[in-house]
Amino acid sequence: FWDFLILFFCLPVVIFNEITKKRLLGDVSCRIVPFMEVSSLGVTTFSLCALGIDRFHAATSPQASSRPIEQCQSIIAKLAVIWVGSMMLSAPEILLWQLAQDTSPVSGMVTEYCTMKPSSNLPESVYSLVLTYQNARMWWYFGCYFCLPILFTVSCQLVTRRISGTDRKTECRGTKHSQCESHLHCTIIGLTIIYGLCTTPENVCNIVVAYMSPNMSKQTLDLLNLINQFFLFFKCSVTPVLLLCLCRPLGQAFMDCCCCCCEGCSPDTASSEGSADSKLKTEMSSSIFFDKPRESPPPLLALGTPC
């Protein structure tokens, strides 16, 4: 959902700025777009960490194939912690950026761009805090939004595979549960690889700009910033597709919803039976986040009961 917000709001603003050299929504977009982009990195980072912890719990639980289904309130609480924490960590971006204008000496055209410069109208304590964040921003990016998710995911995967290999040597490796576990591990690894490849150019550009910006022209800095934007939008576009392709139950549920919307959800018997069968298959399948046990169908009610 956050990837959709990035593509829906940030992508048109960036394209409009590159074409017209005018900033859509002015100073508001200069503050909101970086805030949403950094929040997107935080949401992805902490989501990958949460998925790694869930896979570790699945491997270390005494009865991994019969774990209880996690309640909806618990899932919403975890998502709220991830989202609120990501937005709080990226809150300094709102105070760090502001709109600036530059006049071309050749054509005389006024261009608008966003510059990383805290406003002098801020209170002294807030101004010093934002200035400290600006000085440490490069290494904060590199440590929290690049090293943390990759190292955390790799460590969890190695420990999980080690535990699974030592504790379950006697189990049959061709069972349905082991195949589901393999799909979930591949999904997390695929998401981590895409995230690492797409955030590497941004971290490299940040380091280059931090140490070589006095010797670089404004055109070069704009080009590096555009490259960073491209890889961020590429990640936001590829991640949902990869998730739907690797996680078969989620992809099947998404296709069922799309087919239901396209067909208008006709209330005939055949379609209702088909949707009921597909819903039953989706519910019985395993989710990417949590292990769902195979439940036996409920017993048939006796004839003549009030139900």
Side-chain angles (χ1 to χ4, degrees), residues 274-289:
S275 61
D277 293 340
S278 62
K279 181 178 179 181
L280 179 60
K281 292 179 181 179
T282 305
E283 291 179 350
M284 295 297 292
S285 302
S286 176
S287 172
I288 182 175
F289 300 107

Side-chain angles (χ1 to χ4, degrees), residues 3 19 29 41 68 89 131 135 163 167 177 200 260 273 299 303:
D3 290 337
I19 294 177
S29 66
L41 298 178
L89 291 177
L131 199 61
N135 296 330
I163 294 176
D167 294 347
H177 178 70
T200 298
C260 180
E273 291 179 355
L303 296 178

Side-chain angles (χ1 to χ4, degrees), residues 110-279:
V110 178
T111 60
E112 296 180 348
Y113 62 95
C114 297
T115 180
M116 192 183 300
K117 182 180 179 181
S119 176
S120 58
N121 298 327
L122 295 174
E124 184 177 355
S125 58
V126 178
Y127 180 81
S128 60
L129 181 62
V130 175
L131 199 61
T132 303
Y133 173 80
Q134 180 182 0
N135 296 330
R137 186 174 184 268
M138 178 193 66
W139 295 112
W140 170 254
Y141 251 68
F142 182 74
C144 182
Y145 298 135
F146 182 77
C147 296
L148 176 63
I150 294 179
L151 294 179
F152 196 93
T153 304
V154 171
S155 301
C156 287
Q157 291 296 319
L158 292 177
V159 174
T160 301
R161 289 181 180 274
R162 182 65 179 271
I163 294 176
S164 301
T166 55
D167 294 347
R168 301 177 184 176
K169 289 183 179 180
T170 58
E171 294 184 2
C172 179
R173 297 185 181 272
T175 60
K176 189 75 173 180
H177 178 70
S178 62
Q179 294 177 359
C180 177
E181 289 291 324
S182 177
H183 283 303
L184 296 177
H185 288 301
C186 292
T187 302
I188 299 176
I189 293 175
L191 294 175
T192 306
I193 291 175
I194 291 295
Y195 179 76
L197 292 177
C198 293
T199 54
T200 298
E202 182 174 5
N203 287 276
V204 172
C205 292
N206 289 337
I207 296 175
V208 170
V209 170
Y211 291 101
M212 300 179 61
S213 57
N215 302 326
M216 301 173 66
S217 62
K218 185 178 181 301
Q219 290 76 12
T220 305
L221 295 176
D222 293 340
L223 179 61
L224 293 178
N225 184 39
L226 185 62
I227 293 175
N228 297 337
Q229 296 281 348
F230 169 78
F231 278 100
L232 176 64
F233 296 142
F234 179 77
K235 178 192 76 70
C236 294
S237 303
V238 172
T239 299
V241 177
L242 180 68
L243 188 61
L244 293 176
C245 293
L246 293 181
C247 185
R248 296 177 182 177
L250 184 61
Q252 183 62 40
F254 179 78
M255 294 301 298
D256 292 341
C257 291
C258 292
C259 294
C260 180
C261 294
C262 293
E263 295 176 359
C265 297
S266 56
D268 56 338
T269 306
S271 61
S272 61
E273 291 179 355
S275 61
D277 293 340
S278 62
K279 181 178 179 181

Side-chain angles (χ1 to χ4, degrees), residues 5 28 46 53 56 59 86 93 200 206 208-209 229 266:
L5 291 179
V28 176
F46 300 135
I53 294 174
F56 177 77
S86 301
E93 297 286 334
T200 298
N206 289 337
V208 170
V209 170
Q229 296 281 348
S266 56

